[in-house]
Amino acid sequence: MTAVETRWTVTVDREACIGTGVCAGAAPRQLEVRTGKASVLAPETAPDEAVIDAAEMCPMSAITVRDAASGALLAPEE
């Protein structure tokens, strides 16, 4: 039996994003501000608390982090 590496999916609702850049500051390996809005650098990432922090800090709740396998919402907390 082989171990399955946990992966997270990160999405940004660019309609809701107001481009504060807080997320890119918190998780620069996963997020950047492009054309005034947050953008994900890769649709999947290894688990990283920085991306959870970025989702929780977003004033518009525009960033969503989910478990790639199950789809379970990891952030932001509801």
Side-chain angles (χ1 to χ4, degrees):
M1 189 163 147
T2 59
V4 176
E5 182 181 342
T6 300
R7 303 291 290 170
W8 291 353
T9 58
V10 182
T11 57
V12 175
D13 178 347
R14 289 180 55 89
E15 298 277 324
C17 178
I18 59 172
T20 66
V22 171
C23 59
R29 289 187 307 266
Q30 292 90 2
L31 298 156
E32 69 180 3
V33 176
R34 194 180 312 149
T35 62
K37 303 277 183 160
S39 293
V40 177
L41 295 174
E44 275 194 14
T45 186
D48 186 340
E49 282 302 310
V51 78
I52 296 287
D53 291 343
E56 296 292 345
M57 290 177 185
C58 178
M60 303 307 291
S61 298
I63 300 166
T64 304
V65 183
R66 294 184 179 278
D67 180 281
S70 70
L73 181 65
L74 303 172
E77 289 185 4
E78 294 182 333

